[in-house]
Amino acid sequence: MASRSTQILEAAARVIARRGVRGLRVEELAAEAGISTALIYYHFKDRTGVLRATLEFINDRAERYTTDRAPEDPPLTPREELEKTLLLELQDTAEVRENSSAWGELRASAVFDEVLREDLARATLVWVQEVAAMLGQVQPMAPASSLAAAAERITALLEGLSMRWLSGGTPIGHAQDLMRGAIDAELAGLRQN
């Protein structure tokens, strides 16, 4: 059974994905989680604490569903690992839809919320660094600055493709094909450096 704080964070991700950050009210969150508002304040102190913890929660959840592999799965090449990790952000599952929707809502709200903006900037930087490291495994001779720039472009494109897919503007298969093309293009560019 999930801990109370995990239960609250799961409910917060659902509410944010459905109603946005502005729609997250402590009372509604308590009802969604099936607990009292006092318990939310006990675990997170205030609404900002809930938002910060939810951002961390959805990042951790994304890392889990993009990196978990069955022990019996054959090892992947660095190129395969890169593509698989990125494409797992474009899976048509309830968990990925919810996570991606909540991430997009948090990103949109960060425009107006300085605390959230700083947290989101840190989370984005970590993600870019992780993708740069994977790119470096594929192209180990590429300069660090080129790897970082390629990772920033890839992660920005992935966010955009995710939002287009979630909002019905781009079919998921097409979004996945565009992501594969972007990976190919970035790797070709890194080979030329």
Side-chain angles (χ1 to χ4, degrees):
M1 174 128 190
S3 71
R4 284 286 188 212
S5 58
T6 301
Q7 183 181 354
I8 295 166
L9 293 172
E10 288 170 344
R14 282 192 305 273
V15 171
I16 291 170
R18 273 196 321 260
R19 300 178 47 90
V21 171
R22 294 177 82 172
L24 180 69
R25 304 283 180 261
V26 174
E27 297 77 20
E28 182 180 351
L29 176 55
E32 180 76 22
I35 59 167
S36 70
T37 58
L39 225 82
I40 293 171
Y41 290 117
Y42 171 78
H43 284 285
F44 302 103
K45 295 188 180 162
D46 56 19
R47 185 175 178 276
T48 299
V50 171
L51 290 174
R52 291 178 113 171
T54 303
L55 176 61
E56 187 175 325
F57 172 79
I58 64 173
N59 279 331
D60 291 346
R61 189 162 64 172
E63 184 175 342
R64 182 184 42 75
Y65 65 66
T66 60
T67 59
D68 278 353
R69 304 284 189 270
E72 65 275 3
D73 287 348
L76 301 174
T77 66
R79 169 68 171 79
E80 292 168 335
E81 183 75 27
L82 171 68
E83 183 173 304
K84 184 172 183 83
T85 299
L86 294 171
L87 290 177
L88 285 171
E89 290 281 2
L90 294 169
Q91 328 173 49
D92 195 5
T93 66
E95 184 177 48
V96 173
R97 283 179 167 277
E98 180 181 281
N99 231 45
S100 296
S101 296
W103 175 268
E105 292 293 337
L106 287 162
R107 175 150 324 273
S109 292
V111 171
F112 305 103
D113 184 332
E114 190 172 327
V115 172
L116 193 54
R117 187 178 322 137
E118 291 170 7
D119 290 345
L120 198 65
R122 274 191 297 279
T124 300
L125 179 60
V126 168
W127 186 31
V128 169
Q129 290 170 339
E130 289 169 355
V131 172
M134 286 190 285
L135 288 165
Q137 291 293 313
V138 180
Q139 293 296 326
M141 300 307 290
S145 60
S146 297
L147 293 169
E152 196 163 355
R153 287 187 295 270
I154 286 174
T155 56
L157 177 63
L158 183 53
E159 280 188 45
L161 289 172
S162 180
M163 288 302 106
R164 285 186 181 187
W165 158 58
L166 289 168
S167 64
T170 302
I172 191 168
H174 185 59
Q176 292 166 337
D177 289 342
L178 290 171
M179 191 75 249
R180 284 185 193 95
I183 293 166
D184 290 341
E186 291 297 343
L187 289 173
L190 290 170
R191 280 191 294 275
Q192 293 175 356
N193 284 332

